[in-house]
Amino acid sequence: MVVIRLARGGAKARPFFNIVVADKRTRRDGRFIERIGFYNPIATASEESIRIAQDRLTYWKGVGAQASPTVERLINQAAKKAA
């Protein structure tokens, strides 16, 4: 099964997450199929906190990828900002 989830990056106490498409059996920060965006929870007001490639997200959901609950929340949050 293919999932859309967060992969943690960044330094200690300064988290940064990539939104990736990966096989469910791989480790959280392990091998992934495609990186479709990022989430920066500690971004300042002048920085971009979330970016998702909507065309790739639509494609992967169309072929059966399941988004994690956290990624689903971030997708909705990004949609509200865009509107």
Side-chain angles (χ1 to χ4, degrees), residues 42-55:
I42 58 172
T44 61
S46 62
E47 295 176 339
E48 189 175 18
S49 65
I50 184 167
R51 182 186 307 161
I52 301 173
Q54 290 294 338
D55 58 333

Side-chain angles (χ1 to χ4, degrees), residues 19-71:
I19 301 171
V20 298
V21 178
D23 190 296
K24 187 174 180 72
R25 298 169 292 185
T26 60
R27 298 179 314 221
R28 179 192 70 181
D29 301 332
R31 186 173 65 207
F32 58 88
I33 300 168
E34 183 179 357
R35 177 183 177 272
I36 62 171
F38 67 84
Y39 170 57
N40 184 1
I42 58 172
T44 61
S46 62
E47 295 176 339
E48 189 175 18
S49 65
I50 184 167
R51 182 186 307 161
I52 301 173
Q54 290 294 338
D55 58 333
R56 299 308 296 164
L57 177 67
T58 304
Y59 168 77
W60 282 110
K61 283 193 164 194
V63 295
Q66 299 286 317
S68 71
T70 304
V71 171

